[in-house]
Amino acid sequence: MTEVERAARERVRLQAVERFERGEKNREISIALRVSERSVERWRQAWRERGGAGVLSKGSPGRPKLSDAQIARLERELERGPLVHGWTDQRWTLARVKTLIGRLFHFPTRCRAPAAAEAARLVLAAAGAAGDRARRGGGGAVEEGGLAAGKSTAAASRAWTVFADEAGQSMTPPRATTWGRIGRTPVVRVRGRGSGRVSMAGMVCYKPGERSRLIYAIREYHGRRDQPKGFGWRDLRDPLVRARIQLGGPIVLVWDNVRLHLTAEMREFIAANAHWLTVFQLPAYAPDLNPQEGIWSLVKRDIGNLAAADLAQITRAVKHRLKQIQYRPELIDGCLVGTGLTRDGGLA
């Protein structure tokens, strides 16, 4: 609480004391001062016991009580990075700083989450820290596959609308916001070259009255000559067949017109299965309309600043996050809402 906020609270309480002396009732005072009746009752009790001094604000009880020496030590530990303290990525969040404070100084953090996070924020401010986006110390950028969007116009209510998209992740992690000293951009050191790539193919499935589904496939590329770098048309065909079996009905597939979707083999497969598969090709780049793009955002947010030791760790992190999303259909629905589309094919 700032001094201005504390002064404002003092004025309200002193006004309540004046009304106590005039004999006004608690309800009248709460309405006039726009505070809860319970607060007024508590102030009146303190006024009866200790007079006007008992009503004065004592400030926030959650403010941390760390000495200058402890704050200096906290600075040093923050600069060492989250990896040293047992976290798998290099992000300092308020929750992690709160945990670190408890470990170092046995600071009482058994309080409500907002209050504990505020305590950590105040300590960080005292230590001269600020939120900033990390700068990568390694080379290589995260590549993403074709991004597409659209809505199904199929009239058959028994059909599932399936949005498909591909993406990839190298050893260079997505940059994420972390805590760093003011004026010094935090640096995440990673192995960014010659370390392979994780390819991801995903499909989000929607149907009115049914639980939303997520179906995905993962492939690792380690840079070997005899190993394909990414997905082939068969790698996209097989999840479609699996989706039909799992969903138990016809599919209206919505994806973009990247080269892999337009190969002769894929066109032949679509034509041969027209009795259950209808495909809509969409513009080359319209990620704001594809809910699968929202799924990729959730995955990459979870691995931000991840300093992985090898490609297998990236794969495990990606699979773990995708599996979590599969069991949370509200997240899949939220990705659809974010596009402005609805389950019935219209705009929200």
Side-chain angles (χ1 to χ4, degrees), residues 142-148 165-169 197 199-200 231 256 258 261 284-285 287 293 296 300:
V142 176
E143 262 187 23
E144 293 192 356
L147 304 178
D165 189 34
E166 299 83 46
Q169 178 59 55
R197 175 182 175 83
S199 297
M200 303 174 283
F231 289 113
D256 60 10
V258 298
H261 299 167
Y285 191 76
E293 180 70 11
W296 299 144
K300 296 196 173 185

Side-chain angles (χ1 to χ4, degrees), residues 19 44 50 55 114 140 142 151 189 206 226 238 265 306 312:
R19 294 175 181 270
R44 186 185 291 273
R50 299 184 296 276
V55 184
V142 176
K151 61 178 182 178
R189 303 192 180 279
Y206 302 98
D226 59 343
D238 294 344
E265 295 85 354
L306 176 63

Side-chain angles (χ1 to χ4, degrees), residues 191-203:
R191 295 171 55 191
R193 294 183 179 179
S195 302
R197 175 182 175 83
V198 177
S199 297
M200 303 174 283
M203 297 183 294

Side-chain angles (χ1 to χ4, degrees), residues 32-276:
L33 300 182
R34 296 182 180 181
V35 296
S36 68
E37 191 170 348
R38 184 177 182 84
S39 295
V40 176
E41 182 180 351
R42 188 173 62 253
W43 297 343
R44 186 185 291 273
Q45 181 66 27
W47 172 68
R48 288 172 177 169
E49 295 176 356
R50 299 184 296 276
V55 184
L56 298 181
S57 174
K58 298 180 179 58
S60 174
R63 187 179 299 275
K65 307 292 185 182
L66 295 183
S67 65
D68 292 341
Q70 289 174 322
I71 291 177
R73 183 185 176 190
L74 176 62
E75 288 186 48
R76 294 192 297 270
E77 296 299 329
L78 290 173
E79 289 178 350
R80 294 178 66 193
L83 289 175
V84 177
H85 296 284
W87 285 283
T88 58
D89 58 49
Q90 302 184 58
R91 286 181 297 169
W92 277 124
T93 63
L94 291 179
R96 290 180 178 182
V97 175
K98 178 180 76 73
T99 302
L100 179 62
I101 293 171
R103 291 175 182 175
L104 296 176
F105 314 118
H106 306 286
F107 187 81
T109 57
R110 293 184 179 180
C111 54
R112 292 178 300 175
E118 177 65 12
R121 186 189 67 79
L122 291 172
V123 172
L124 283 171
D132 199 359
R133 183 173 289 274
R135 175 170 59 85
R136 286 195 291 258
V142 176
E143 262 187 23
E144 293 192 356
L147 304 178
K151 61 178 182 178
S152 169
T153 58
S157 61
R158 61 192 181 93
W160 285 81
T161 302
V162 176
F163 294 85
D165 189 34
E166 299 83 46
Q169 178 59 55
S170 67
M171 286 290 292
T172 304
R175 287 182 294 178
T177 299
T178 184
W179 288 98
R181 294 295 299 272
I182 292 177
R184 289 168 52 184
T185 302
V187 177
V188 177
R189 303 192 180 279
V190 297
R191 295 171 55 191
R193 294 183 179 179
S195 302
R197 175 182 175 83
V198 177
S199 297
M200 303 174 283
M203 297 183 294
V204 285
C205 314
Y206 302 98
K207 182 179 178 181
E210 296 285 347
R211 179 177 64 86
S212 301
R213 312 287 181 86
L214 169 63
I215 299 173
Y216 63 88
I218 302 292
R219 162 170 286 182
E220 288 186 359
Y221 170 65
H222 296 275
R224 304 188 185 98
R225 290 185 178 182
D226 59 343
Q227 192 176 24
K229 292 184 178 181
F231 289 113
W233 76 273
R234 292 184 179 86
D235 299 309
L236 302 184
R237 175 201 64 185
D238 294 344
L240 283 172
V241 175
R242 189 168 77 246
R244 186 205 176 191
I245 296 173
Q246 292 183 9
L247 300 176
I251 291 175
V252 176
L253 176 63
V254 182
W255 60 9
D256 60 10
N257 56 4
V258 298
R259 184 178 302 176
L260 184 60
H261 299 167
L262 303 177
T263 60
E265 295 85 354
M266 181 60 72
R267 289 182 180 274
E268 291 176 3
F269 168 74
I270 294 172
N273 295 276
H275 59 286
W276 64 268

